[in-house]
Amino acid sequence: MNKLPLHFTLMITTALGACSKLSYDTISVSKNKTLGVVGTGAAIQCTAQPEYINYSIYRMCSDNVRVGDITPYYDSVAGNYKLYFLKNIWSGAGQKHPWFGFVTSDFHNYTETGSVIASSADACAQDNSVGAGGVIKNGNTYYAFYTGHNPDLTGCTNGVKREGVMLATSTNPVAGFVKDTGFATINTPAGIGYDENDNWRDPFVIRDNANNNWMMLIAARKNHNGAWRGVIAKYTSTDLRNWTYQGVFYDGGSYNYFNMECPSILKYGSNYYLMFSDQSISNASQRYIHYRKSTSLNGPWTMPTGPDRIDGNAFYAAKAVPDGYGDAYIFAWCHTLSGNTDSGTPDWGGNLVAHKIYPLPNGDLATAIPHTVKAWLENAPEAFAKNSQWGNVTNTVAGTESYRLVSNADFDVANVLYDPVNRDQYMITTTVSYASSSKDFGFFIGACDGYENTYQLRFVPAQNKFKFETKRRSLVDSIPVNDIPVTLVPNTNYKVQIIVEHSVVVVYINDQVAFTNRIYRAPNTTWGIFVDHSDATFSNITVTHP
């Protein structure tokens, strides 16, 4: 048997004698990998940290209560966004999903309002609890159309329904809205196939200048064309008080969605974009934001050229509105997980997340980091330390964290690991390209080692997907925790920005794709870059913070 070179023997001895640091086992070493502890060699940290409440970018309520469905309104007079949301409390009279709000002009400084629309204390009131809606201004009056939801109709003889559309108005939308008791609640049309017992919610109102009226969209379910499906109903009005049913506005086309929640329309340039959230009650992992496009407010609505999804399954109940400067932003919530643990199930509600949204030259929508958030996060460089590297790793630009990593077989993982970043908010930035890939490459988060027990944000070129995975590498299958479509082409640069604020992790790729995730093992843990049966280069890795 040939002896190993002395330097290689010393490397293996050092690694195995420090398994508490690197956790590489003899099986891995037997694959002829070259392990180099050319870094701090500090102990690996992969324990999830306690959840925090001091979010700046991805806000929760100041009392640590989750944020539910967002109703955004851009106030052109004040030059800021009013972001109304359902506060996830259910604690008694007036406290069943009331509307609260945030006010912001930069998406990292928020002022929290008090309750602006409370639920009714009357057990048989239509709005015994409150649901999402839309806000619009006409003259000096702000109109808030909202869902009145009564979860228990037992003993009620006043004709109240499970859900109905209600109205509150205000001249000071931060101080609160006054319920309009003279407004006739809009309930499900009777006898024409709608679900009259539930699923009539999330009103959205927009001005239809071509027809000189207002249009309201409502999420509903209907026996439509011989099948039960989610539909979006349409109403019109000339005065915002008296509304006339105009039929089904959109039925999903060739797709049968269970319920198209939180429908909204964004006008950008000469195009209109219809967005909705697929409730998908049978599979929470398939709850996505979808969109369609048209050159007319009233359709017809067509699929985009590329994917019709915005973000992944941890970004839900979204609505988008333009600002007064030619930009537009989309707002949703990133769910928490039960028990504040990565093994938990998705909760209803979580943290507010905002993306910039804009059209590509072909008219499809793209998402990017808001420029105000980017500038804030790039305020100062963060010194970060290389922990170790493994496999075929070459520094491509001296004096920078730039590496080419090559792996020639499945599970022959090459990596560079870094010590934890101890910041409340920070952003990792790099440019990634790949020459070839038979498997995957990307980023490790919460790494307990550098090849097996680690979370992964990974490019999968064979599927044109970017995925988040918590399974051990040897157990990864076709069902990730979350994914997003992204077109991947060899020898092409992809700018990657990874924002970490406590357990919310948002990835932006090429200022076109946003990918939101809840990762409790992300903050203050070991992280890095990797390739598996791939040849990829990560250029100029930097970390910055406010």
Side-chain angles (χ1 to χ4, degrees), residues 135-323:
V135 173
I136 198 162
K137 186 180 182 183
N138 187 33
N140 294 318
T141 302
Y142 296 84
Y143 293 77
F145 294 91
Y146 68 97
T147 304
H149 177 88
N150 194 307
D152 185 1
L153 304 178
T154 303
C156 296
T157 59
N158 59 350
V160 65
K161 303 293 186 182
R162 180 74 67 201
E163 292 187 321
V165 174
M166 307 181 76
L167 172 65
T169 61
S170 177
T171 56
N172 184 346
V174 175
F177 292 82
V178 177
K179 295 179 182 180
D180 188 335
T181 57
F183 179 76
T185 298
I186 303 173
N187 290 120
T188 312
I192 57 173
Y194 282 97
D195 177 0
E196 297 179 30
N197 298 312
D198 202 351
N199 298 304
W200 185 256
R201 56 181 172 271
D202 303 342
F204 171 82
V205 175
I206 189 171
R207 179 68 181 173
D208 184 351
N209 290 319
N211 292 302
N212 196 31
N213 62 19
W214 304 90
M215 182 170 71
M216 178 188 291
L217 305 181
I218 301 174
R221 275 182 56 77
K222 191 178 189 297
N223 189 334
H224 184 66
N225 294 333
W228 277 99
R229 62 197 299 149
V231 300
I232 299 172
K234 175 184 175 181
Y235 280 73
T236 58
S237 173
T238 57
D239 60 6
L240 290 172
R241 295 187 56 80
N242 299 283
W243 293 87
T244 302
Y245 174 67
Q246 301 290 357
V248 172
F249 180 76
Y250 184 67
D251 64 2
S254 60
Y255 294 88
N256 187 332
Y257 298 105
F258 179 85
N259 206 2
M260 292 184 279
E261 294 188 301
C262 298
S264 66
I265 294 175
L266 170 69
K267 185 178 188 297
Y268 204 118
S270 60
N271 285 332
Y272 293 86
Y273 298 92
L274 172 65
M275 305 178 192
F276 54 89
S277 298
D278 175 20
Q279 189 178 6
S280 186
I281 63 169
S282 62
N283 188 350
S285 69
Q286 299 300 309
R287 292 178 181 169
Y288 298 123
I289 312 303
H290 298 272
Y291 77 96
R292 304 292 186 264
K293 59 184 184 180
S294 177
T295 55
S296 167
L297 176 63
N298 285 282
W301 300 98
T302 60
M303 292 282 288
T305 303
D308 75 322
R309 281 171 45 190
I310 298 173
D311 209 315
N313 61 26
F315 184 82
Y316 192 73
K319 289 184 178 179
V321 289
D323 65 11

Side-chain angles (χ1 to χ4, degrees), residues 431-476:
T431 299
V432 182
S433 63
Y434 71 101
S436 63
S437 180
S438 296
K439 192 175 182 182
D440 62 357
F441 57 91
F443 304 87
F444 285 157
I445 290 183
C448 293
D449 58 42
Y451 63 96
E452 169 69 356
N453 185 6
T454 177
Y455 291 179
Q456 310 123 56
L457 291 165
R458 59 196 193 101
F459 291 94
V460 187
Q463 299 175 21
N464 281 318
K465 291 283 185 70
F466 187 74
K467 300 186 177 186
F468 168 52
E469 188 56 79
T470 60
K471 299 184 185 76
R472 289 172 176 262
R473 292 285 300 167
S474 60
L475 300 177
V476 167

